[in-house]
Amino acid sequence: IRYCKRLSPVLTEEAREKIAVRYSEMRMRFQIGFDPNTPADDRKPRLAVTTRTLEALIRLATAHAKLKLRKEEVLPEDVEEAYKLMLIAREEELPSELQEAEVEAVAAASSAAATAGAMAANASGAAASASGSKRRRGEAFAGQEGEGGGISAARFKSMQTLVARSFATSGGAELPRGELLEKVNAGLSAAETRFSQEEFSAGLARLEAQNKVMIIDDEVHQVG
């Protein structure tokens, strides 16, 4: 709202003409009591329409343009929205053409909301699926600790430290898989057993499941 208040759109020529038309209609409808859609017997004087009404119509149209984040122009559609608001405020029925436009606008908004909701649901489902997949992989690798195809907790902790150190010394956020393995093994002491390809792959998979790294085309990218 603070941003909208900074904008200063002005009426276009088409908007000025639309305001003149709608103001004249309001004078006929409210002040004179004439409504072309109402039988003559039911016509009666209504509320007064003065220059203050005209000013209110212009201000409402300008406010609507600001809400639409229009920086330069107030368009005829802004005038129409202001006119509809003033009719509703006076408890008047909208003209048939405005009623049809309102129905179409509501239908379009509902359709857009439904589409956005479906897209959000799909995105949420995909994210949940990916998260669940990573969690299952992490649990699977955790269950493999101590087995031939996995990596023990102590070895994984050591590898995690060495991977982080390798990225820090390389000065980048990505390393080829083979080069990273060499750096990790180079960081081991002479008494420690070097990581095999199988053990290294299991450790990388666990790191990826924990969102520490991401493996793309045999490149290991540091994430967090």
Side-chain angles (χ1 to χ4, degrees):
I1 294 177
R2 287 197 297 269
Y3 177 76
C4 291
K5 289 181 178 179
R6 300 175 188 173
L7 307 179
S8 301
V10 297
L11 293 167
T12 62
E13 187 62 33
E14 294 80 3
R16 291 175 184 274
E17 294 176 0
K18 181 65 69 174
I19 283 180
V21 171
R22 291 308 188 188
Y23 178 66
S24 298
E25 291 180 3
M26 292 177 70
R27 285 181 61 85
M28 294 178 63
R29 180 187 287 250
F30 300 126
Q31 184 167 309
I32 303 175
F34 174 77
D35 186 348
N37 299 319
T38 303
D41 295 340
D42 296 334
R43 295 172 188 168
K44 57 183 179 181
R46 305 291 182 85
L47 300 175
V49 176
T50 66
T51 54
R52 289 183 178 271
T53 308
L54 177 61
E55 292 175 357
L57 186 60
I58 294 173
R59 288 176 179 173
L60 286 172
T62 303
H64 186 268
K66 289 182 178 181
L67 286 175
K68 290 292 186 177
L69 302 182
R70 298 195 182 98
K71 299 180 180 180
E72 300 178 356
E73 297 180 337
V74 179
L75 303 178
E77 63 184 78
D78 300 314
V79 178
E80 292 288 9
E81 292 300 323
Y83 177 65
K84 288 191 290 186
L85 182 60
M86 296 190 73
L87 289 183
I88 294 172
R90 291 174 181 264
E91 299 181 350
E92 290 288 331
E93 292 186 1
L94 299 179
S96 58
E97 70 274 10
L98 291 183
Q99 289 182 4
E100 293 175 0
E102 187 75 9
V103 170
E104 292 177 359
V106 171
S110 299
S111 177
T115 301
M119 292 176 64
N122 290 338
S124 177
S129 176
S131 176
S133 177
K134 283 189 175 182
R135 189 181 305 111
R136 287 191 298 271
R137 277 159 44 193
E139 292 172 353
F141 289 120
Q144 290 177 348
E145 290 181 1
E147 299 179 5
I151 182 172
S152 67
R155 292 281 285 174
F156 174 71
K157 184 176 181 180
S158 174
M159 176 180 162
Q160 186 175 15
T161 301
L162 292 170
V163 166
R165 186 183 302 167
S166 298
F167 278 113
T169 56
S170 69
E174 60 183 54
L175 284 171
R177 186 189 187 102
E179 182 179 342
L180 180 60
L181 176 57
E182 291 178 3
K183 288 180 175 292
V184 167
N185 282 328
L188 294 170
S189 66
E192 292 179 297
T193 305
R194 293 171 62 86
F195 287 95
S196 65
Q197 285 284 356
E198 184 177 337
E199 192 178 23
F200 182 67
S201 295
L204 283 182
R206 287 189 62 182
L207 288 174
E208 188 175 25
Q210 295 176 5
N211 292 322
K212 299 296 184 181
V213 299
M214 182 180 296
I215 303 173
I216 303 174
D217 295 333
D218 216 33
E219 293 273 340
V220 182
H221 299 256
Q222 187 178 34
V223 178

